[in-house]
Amino acid sequence: MTFASVKQILIMIALTCLGLYALDYWKNPQLWHLRQGARVSPEGGPRLTLWMNHLCCTGCLDDVRKALAGMPGVDLEKATGPKELLTQAAANMQNATLPDYGNVVSLPISDLDKLDLVAVDRTLREKGFVAGRLELSGIPHFRLEAALDHLCCGMCDRSISERMSFLKARGQGGQLKWIESVSVEHGKKTVVAYARFLEAGKTDDIGEFLSGLNYLGFEPHSLRIATGENMQHPPPAPVGLSDTGTTGPGD
């Protein structure tokens, strides 16, 4: 029987350690970046980018701007639209066409505390528009807090946690993969989604979370972005307590 030499053992230990560190970084990048200090990316600051599946001409863009006028939390004056966009006159021509009728509007976020993503979505819909994607960028660490009017029992709580995990697992195009975990705060009637560390230059489609809640049968009356100090997952409930915080059978 041949035993490994001291050199081989040291190499194996080093490779194992490197592999474990790499795995931990891949699974929990937010923990490695906590000491970077700033919660908001220095590259242009936080932004909300609206991908509109239909935004073909200057008339469309003007109506989107009018719809968002006065929206709290965003700076519409510094918003940027498509660089190449047909005028209304050009779009009225019989042979007018585009490679893609969709385009984006990028909104600098001026105040995270005032920004309500449900209000943005509803305002656009009321004016005849639907944002295909609501892409958030420039905020490395954040969580989403969806306030619900209906959250009446423990089964409501469990259905959200269990079925949101199911939707995340079944996402065909990476949908909801940016969410680390989802918890339910029954007393506050709030669903909290903890996001993975968002790298500079990358975006998370917040609309996926909103659509996911709608698919599960829940319509939040507000959806806000929080950047509090404790961005890690909530601690598990004490043994013997149900999801609603009441004592379980036999206690």
Side-chain angles (χ1 to χ4, degrees), residues 48 115-122 134 144 206 210 223 225:
L48 178 65
L115 179 61
D116 180 359
L117 297 169
V118 167
V120 173
D121 182 68
R122 286 180 178 171
L134 299 167
L144 298 174
I206 308 304
L210 183 58
L223 179 60
I225 304 165

Side-chain angles (χ1 to χ4, degrees), residues 8 41 46 53 58 63 76 111 120 136 154 177 185 199 220 225 234:
Q8 290 173 324
S41 170
N53 286 326
T58 54
D63 284 346
L76 194 59
D111 192 334
V120 173
L136 180 66
K177 299 299 183 184
E185 297 179 0
E199 297 178 5
I225 304 165

Side-chain angles (χ1 to χ4, degrees), residues 202-218:
K202 302 292 184 179
T203 64
D204 288 338
D205 183 6
I206 308 304
E208 293 178 354
F209 179 60
L210 183 58
S211 297
L213 288 174
N214 292 163
Y215 180 80
L216 299 183
F218 297 89

Side-chain angles (χ1 to χ4, degrees), residues 39-85:
R39 299 179 193 169
V40 174
S41 170
E43 299 181 5
R47 302 184 76 85
L48 178 65
T49 300
L50 309 177
W51 170 261
M52 315 293 295
N53 286 326
H54 183 89
L55 192 64
C56 67
C57 73
T58 54
C60 296
L61 182 59
D62 288 343
D63 284 346
V64 169
R65 285 182 171 274
K66 290 176 183 177
L68 296 175
M71 178 62 61
V74 296
D75 189 349
L76 194 59
E77 294 294 326
K78 296 181 180 179
T80 56
K83 295 181 178 179
E84 296 182 5
L85 202 63

Side-chain angles (χ1 to χ4, degrees), residues 107-211:
L107 304 168
I109 298 175
S110 56
D111 192 334
L112 278 174
D113 293 334
K114 293 181 180 179
L115 179 61
D116 180 359
L117 297 169
V118 167
V120 173
D121 182 68
R122 286 180 178 171
T123 298
L124 289 172
R125 290 176 183 271
E126 288 172 358
K127 300 300 182 181
F129 293 96
V130 176
R133 297 197 299 270
L134 299 167
E135 297 183 349
L136 180 66
S137 61
I139 308 176
H141 307 103
F142 71 93
R143 65 181 182 270
L144 298 174
E145 298 180 350
L148 307 180
D149 289 319
H150 174 82
L151 203 61
C152 66
C153 65
M155 287 187 67
C156 290
D157 299 358
R158 289 189 293 275
S159 70
I160 291 175
S161 299
E162 293 172 2
R163 296 172 72 192
M164 189 65 73
S165 297
F166 173 79
L167 290 179
K168 181 180 176 182
R170 292 295 297 272
Q172 298 299 313
Q175 294 91 341
L176 301 173
K177 299 299 183 184
W178 51 273
I179 294 180
E180 282 280 10
S181 65
V182 174
S183 66
V184 180
E185 297 179 0
H186 186 86
K188 297 180 179 179
K189 290 192 174 183
T190 301
V191 181
V192 182
Y194 293 82
R196 293 177 63 85
F197 175 78
L198 181 57
E199 297 178 5
K202 302 292 184 179
T203 64
D204 288 338
D205 183 6
I206 308 304
E208 293 178 354
F209 179 60
L210 183 58
S211 297

Side-chain angles (χ1 to χ4, degrees), residues 213-231:
L213 288 174
N214 292 163
Y215 180 80
L216 299 183
F218 297 89
E219 174 66 11
H221 66 254
S222 70
L223 179 60
R224 299 188 181 277
I225 304 165
T227 57
E229 292 293 341
N230 183 13
M231 299 307 300

